[in-house]
Amino acid sequence: MQFQAQVINSSLFVRIVQCIERQSKTAVLMLTPTWLHIIMVSDTEGGLQMWSDVDPQALFASYRVESLHNNKIHL
């Protein structure tokens, strides 16, 4: 498993993280070579569920993801 990137748009990255934090304390990041997927389920029963796809080029320079699991990394 290898993830390597350089953040070029830190203000957008912080806004995304703050938005997720307001909705739930738990989220899953799925990194693929072409997308950054954010999966969030609200802490309350029957609450909000969100799936968001972010183009890594909007946030990172030299973005690279490699793994033995179809080049997907779950965090």
Side-chain angles (χ1 to χ4, degrees):
M1 171 174 57
Q2 187 174 39
F3 168 65
Q4 187 175 37
Q6 178 183 10
V7 177
I8 57 172
N9 193 345
S10 59
S11 62
L12 177 59
F13 186 72
V14 168
R15 287 190 321 213
I16 291 171
V17 170
Q18 287 174 339
C19 179
I20 293 167
E21 184 182 35
R22 277 186 240 128
Q23 301 299 322
S24 175
K25 299 297 179 200
T26 307
V28 175
L29 296 176
M30 184 171 67
L31 306 169
T32 69
T34 54
W35 291 101
L36 168 66
H37 305 282
I38 303 168
I39 306 154
M40 185 210 54
V41 178
S42 177
D43 297 332
T44 61
E45 187 175 321
L48 177 71
Q49 296 181 7
M50 180 181 79
W51 175 285
S52 178
D53 296 328
V54 178
D55 184 352
Q57 292 179 347
L59 297 172
F60 306 111
S62 65
Y63 177 80
R64 184 172 146 199
V65 174
E66 294 178 2
S67 81
L68 296 175
H69 301 285
N70 298 325
N71 288 331
K72 294 178 183 176
I73 299 174
H74 294 83
L75 302 172

